[in-house]
């Protein structure tokens, strides 16, 4: 086994590094990664404080951290909880074929909660009646689904987050900008089994370790096998991934690359309901896509253009240089405030005020309390089929009030180019109009985000007249002056696990009614869309 042993890491240079204490010691910020050796031992990726290499990286791999056992134990508890949640959600695993990446095999299996899923499996099927199992699997494929697939058409509206004060001469929020009509779903016969992606040198397959009637279904009598911890796994390197499995694979790979939590797609969504445009959809968890290099050059300003703080710990916004232009104020104390408190949105940023987070030029590290929307999403999301409005999004865990869930991503484009988009794109366009004042001239360039071809899970968020989330504008990758903020989603109340996540596509209407400025009966616009949110205080229709 010596040929598979990990080679030793290069010796780090610490003697000439700054930031250590008088004993030449540097603080550990935390554990950010883990790899599993073939002998079962762990190697931890440790992030250091006040130390970095010339290329800016500040992590090393450590086999043990004897003086910080608390960090190791906390990491193990968190990862164990995460794997148990994965095993509870699904018993599927992905297996590389051919299985020759010995160095990463055990890390790969640990990341998919292999052992936890194995424990939950009802039993190991016998291969004695394998031909019979093949026949049963094929019969199950031909059986029609019992559910009625005539779901209601999906209605989508997109809007921005405008500054709003209800009075006759004050700024008012923008109305609904974009709408889309969905296509009724038709549920085809259900299917099950495993799909395989064939690359130039490697084949990947998803193997289900669930058992139905104490058996595992097979799809080919001419199967290859791979010994993974004693289990025989049959693969059929014949077909590419498609439909729901393809989306799960692509989206979770993209989410994993930036450290985000898992994306789930309900098994009630069938492959036939996933159009070709979604199979080609580019999942982008945290960034905009720039089809126009000129827009990208506007967004990616020079590092010197940022107002940067020199704080080691950002706890006094009035002394934090990057907050000099922030309008977030503590209304009770009438002084400058951060938008977050203990990792949660504090709702100090009034409607239309942009939140300014610490940026790449700031001296504070990634654990800074003023870096929230920019952090990887840490809550798992499920895309599911709603009763009235097509597909929707929900969290599989409970969310506290103030929890920031993610940002709206997609292709960034100029506002004037929106009218040239194909009709099917319009329902996925979100105007970046958070600081624009309705009815007045707003200086500066105007931009929108189209998430039809590029984006993330937020494109599935539906409207409700009684939403459990709201949106706010936030900047951290660029500066305010370019008018290209991100739109972040935050829970406005505690949200139970499994409840659909919604926003109000036309919050100005709700605010006007609440303020009593609309006492007359509302007349439905000729271009309005019927609202299907089902809320007790549903306004009946959505302005287009």
């Amino acid at each position: 086994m010596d040929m598979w042993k990990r080679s030793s890491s290069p010796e780090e240079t610490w003697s000439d590094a700054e930031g250590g204490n008088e004993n030449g010691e540097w603080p550990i910020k935390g554990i950010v990664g883990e790899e599993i050796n073939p002998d079962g031992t762990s190697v931890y990726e440790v992030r250091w404080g006040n130390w970095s290499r010339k290329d800016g990286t500040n992590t090393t791999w450590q086999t043990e951290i004897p003086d910080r056992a608390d960090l190791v134990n906390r990491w193990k508890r968190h990862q164990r909880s995460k794997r148990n949640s994965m095993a509870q959600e699904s018993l599927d695993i992905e297996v590389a074929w051919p299985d020759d990446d010995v160095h990463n095999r055990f890390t790969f299996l640990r990341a998919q909660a292999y052992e936890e899923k194995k424990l939950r499996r009802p039993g190991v099927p016998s291969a004695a009646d394998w031909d019979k199992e093949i026949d049963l699997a094929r019969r199950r494929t031909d059986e029609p689904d019992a559910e009625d697939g005539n779901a209601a058409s999906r209605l989508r509206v997109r809007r921005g987050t405008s500054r709003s004060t209800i009075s006759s001469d004050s700024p008012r929020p923008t109305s609904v900008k974009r709408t889309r009509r969905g296509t009724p779903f038709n549920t085809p016969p259900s299917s099950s089994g495993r799909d395989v992606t064939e690359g130039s040198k490697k084949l990947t397959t998803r193997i289900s370790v669930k058992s139905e009637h104490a058996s595992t279904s097979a799809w080919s009598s001419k199967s290859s096998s791979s010994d993974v911890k004693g289990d025989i796994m049959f693969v059929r390197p014949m077909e590419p991934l498609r439909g729901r499995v393809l989306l799960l694979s692509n989206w979770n790979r993209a989410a994993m690359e930036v450290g985000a939590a898992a994306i789930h797609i309900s098994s009630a969504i069938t492959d036939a309901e996933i159009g070709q445009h979604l199979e080609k959809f580019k999942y982008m968890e945290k960034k905009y896509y720039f089809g126009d290099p000129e827009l990208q050059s506007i967004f990616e300003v020079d590092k010197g253009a940022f107002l940067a703080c020199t704080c080691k710990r950002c706890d006094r916004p009035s002394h934090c240089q990057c907050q000099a232009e922030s309008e977030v104020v503590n209304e009770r104390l009438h002084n400058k405030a951060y938008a977050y408190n203990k990792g949660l949105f504090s709702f100090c940023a009034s409607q239309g005020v942009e939140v300014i987070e610490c940026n790449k030029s700031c001296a504070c590290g990634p654990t800074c309390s003023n870096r929230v929307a920019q952090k990887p999403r840490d809550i798992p999301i499920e895309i599911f089929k709603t009763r009235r409005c097509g597909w929707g999004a929900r969290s599989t865990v409970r969310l506290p009030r103030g929890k920031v869930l993610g940002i709206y991503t997609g292709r960034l484009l100029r506002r004037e180019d929106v009218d040239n988009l194909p009709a099917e794109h319009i329902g996925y366009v979100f105007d970046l109009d958070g600081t624009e004042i309705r009815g007045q001239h707003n200086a500066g360039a105007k931009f929108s985000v189209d998430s039809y071809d590029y984006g993330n899970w937020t494109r599935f968020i539906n409207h409700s007249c009684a939403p459990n989330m709201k949106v706010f504008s936030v900047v951290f990758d660029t500066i305010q002056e370019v008018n290209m903020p991100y739109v972040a989603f935050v829970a406005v109340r505690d949200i139970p696990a499994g409840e659909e996540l919604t926003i109000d596509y036309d919050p100005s209407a709700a605010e006007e009614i609440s303020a009593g400025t609309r006492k007359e009966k509302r007349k439905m616009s000729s271009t309005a869309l019927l609202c299907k949110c089902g809320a007790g205080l549903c306004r009946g229709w959505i302005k287009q």
Side-chain angles (χ1 to χ4, degrees):
M1 289 299 291
D2 287 348
M3 64 182 296
W4 303 120
K5 286 184 65 175
R6 175 193 300 273
S7 57
S8 58
S9 299
E11 196 71 27
E12 297 289 353
T13 302
W14 299 87
S15 58
D16 58 348
E18 299 178 354
N21 60 20
E22 62 275 7
N23 298 320
E25 298 173 334
W26 282 259
I28 295 177
K29 283 194 171 183
I31 298 173
V32 297
E34 179 183 9
E35 288 191 359
I36 311 301
N37 291 323
D39 61 2
T41 59
S42 295
V43 184
Y44 301 102
E45 185 179 11
V46 175
R47 189 180 303 282
W48 297 87
N50 304 331
W51 173 86
S52 65
R53 302 180 184 88
K54 292 182 179 180
D55 63 1
T57 58
N58 64 344
T59 63
T60 61
W61 291 94
Q62 309 290 133
T63 54
E64 55 184 18
I65 315 174
D67 53 341
R68 291 304 307 271
D70 59 317
L71 288 179
V72 176
N73 292 334
R74 189 185 312 153
W75 169 267
K76 288 182 176 180
R77 286 195 302 270
H78 175 73
Q79 295 302 313
R80 190 181 303 116
S81 175
K82 188 175 178 180
R83 293 195 301 271
N84 285 333
S85 297
M86 291 174 62
Q88 187 174 2
E89 175 66 24
S90 170
L91 295 182
D92 290 351
I93 63 169
E94 191 173 279
V95 178
W97 186 261
D99 186 23
D100 54 5
D101 191 359
V102 177
H103 292 288
N104 295 317
R105 178 190 300 170
F106 298 99
T107 302
F108 183 70
L109 292 173
R110 172 73 67 86
Q112 297 187 79
Y114 176 82
E115 293 296 337
E116 288 77 9
K117 290 178 180 181
K118 231 170 80 170
L119 291 174
R120 286 177 174 270
R121 186 171 54 177
V124 180
S126 168
D129 297 321
W130 199 247
D131 291 335
K132 181 179 178 181
E133 295 302 325
I134 295 173
D135 184 60
L136 288 174
R138 287 172 176 161
R139 289 183 186 178
R140 282 196 294 271
T141 305
D142 295 333
E143 291 176 358
D145 194 78
E147 297 182 1
D148 181 8
N150 296 322
S153 297
R154 177 180 175 79
L155 300 179
R156 299 296 306 276
V157 183
R158 289 292 174 218
R159 67 167 306 279
T161 56
S162 298
R163 188 185 300 274
S164 172
T165 303
I166 305 300
S167 66
S168 59
D169 59 351
S170 62
R172 303 179 70 182
T174 56
S175 59
V176 171
K177 288 280 199 275
R178 321 290 174 199
T179 61
R180 169 173 80 85
R181 289 187 180 275
T183 304
F185 298 123
N186 294 310
T187 304
S190 63
S191 62
S192 61
R194 300 188 285 270
D195 300 292
V196 182
T197 295
E198 184 170 2
S200 57
K201 292 185 178 180
K202 186 167 286 191
L203 301 173
T204 304
T205 181
R206 294 190 66 80
I207 305 293
S208 175
V209 295
K210 292 180 188 174
S211 75
E212 183 176 2
H213 304 299
S215 65
T216 300
S217 58
W219 285 86
S220 173
S221 56
K222 297 180 180 180
S223 303
S224 301
S225 64
S226 170
D227 185 10
V228 182
K229 295 216 173 185
D231 287 342
I232 297 178
M233 297 190 174
F234 294 86
V235 298
R236 184 184 64 146
M238 300 285 288
E239 302 176 5
L241 292 177
R242 59 185 175 83
R244 175 174 167 271
V245 176
L246 175 64
L247 264 58
L248 279 170
S249 176
N250 291 344
W251 295 6
N252 277 291
R253 185 180 296 110
M256 188 183 303
E257 285 177 356
V258 296
I263 296 287
H264 308 285
I265 301 177
S266 170
S267 58
I269 296 176
T270 64
D271 289 351
E273 295 170 339
I274 298 174
Q276 290 185 355
H277 75 279
L278 270 185
E279 292 191 350
K280 298 176 181 178
F281 177 78
K282 175 68 174 178
Y283 190 93
M284 306 180 71
E285 181 75 37
K286 297 177 61 178
K287 303 288 185 180
Y288 287 140
Y289 169 75
F290 298 94
D292 185 343
E294 183 180 345
L295 290 183
Q296 186 170 3
S297 66
I298 295 173
F299 182 89
E300 296 177 349
V301 298
D302 292 336
K303 192 173 181 180
F306 287 92
L307 290 176
C309 69
T310 57
C311 311
K312 290 187 177 179
R313 179 181 178 184
C314 296
D315 53 7
R316 301 178 66 185
S318 59
H319 291 70
C320 197
Q321 296 94 323
C322 67
Q323 298 299 296
E325 297 181 358
S326 173
E327 299 178 28
V328 179
V329 175
N330 185 318
E331 295 183 358
R332 183 173 61 86
L333 300 176
H334 303 287
N335 58 6
K336 192 179 289 289
Y338 290 119
Y340 310 107
N341 181 22
K342 297 181 180 179
L344 300 177
F345 191 66
S346 62
F347 297 93
C348 287
S350 58
Q351 189 78 5
V353 171
E354 283 185 344
V355 172
I356 303 175
E357 294 192 358
C358 290
N359 57 70
K360 58 187 177 183
S361 297
C362 292
C364 58
T367 58
C368 170
S369 59
N370 193 40
R371 299 177 186 265
V372 176
Q374 62 187 269
K375 286 184 177 179
R377 173 178 49 82
D378 59 1
I379 53 117
I381 293 293
E382 181 184 40
I383 307 304
F384 73 108
K385 194 187 299 185
T386 69
R387 291 185 178 181
R388 300 182 181 92
C389 301
W391 296 4
R394 60 190 176 192
S395 170
T396 59
V397 297
R398 177 187 173 277
L399 303 174
R401 180 178 185 269
K403 177 65 178 177
V404 178
L405 284 75
I407 58 177
Y408 195 80
T409 64
R411 178 190 172 199
L412 193 74
L413 67 162
R414 291 180 175 84
R415 188 82 54 81
E416 59 265 28
D417 294 334
V418 170
D419 292 336
N420 299 325
L421 290 173
E424 61 268 22
H425 287 238
I426 300 303
Y428 296 96
V429 174
F430 211 129
D431 292 338
L432 302 182
D433 57 359
T435 57
E436 296 175 17
I437 301 174
R438 185 183 179 189
Q440 298 186 23
H441 173 70
N442 295 278
K446 298 175 178 63
F447 303 96
S448 300
V449 182
D450 173 18
S451 67
Y452 186 80
D453 292 321
Y454 304 86
N456 62 21
W457 65 273
T458 58
R459 76 195 294 276
F460 297 105
I461 295 174
N462 284 317
H463 162 82
S464 174
C465 294
N468 51 25
M469 294 193 303
K470 64 176 289 186
V471 295
F472 64 93
S473 296
V474 57
V475 292
F476 50 83
D477 274 353
T478 189
I479 57 177
Q480 285 182 293
E481 289 77 5
V482 303
N483 293 331
M484 296 178 178
Y486 288 114
V487 175
F489 296 79
V490 59
V492 298
R493 59 172 173 82
D494 292 347
I495 304 175
E499 179 177 311
E500 183 181 5
L501 301 173
T502 57
I503 61 171
D504 192 336
Y505 289 173
D506 186 15
S508 61
E511 291 170 3
E512 290 173 356
I513 291 173
S514 177
T517 58
R518 275 194 172 178
K519 294 182 179 179
E520 76 282 359
K521 185 176 180 180
R522 299 182 74 205
K523 295 181 180 180
M524 182 180 292
S525 167
S526 59
T527 59
L529 298 175
L530 181 67
C531 181
K532 298 183 179 182
C533 74
L537 298 176
C538 178
R539 299 190 294 270
W541 52 278
I542 307 169
K543 188 190 303 181
Q544 185 171 359

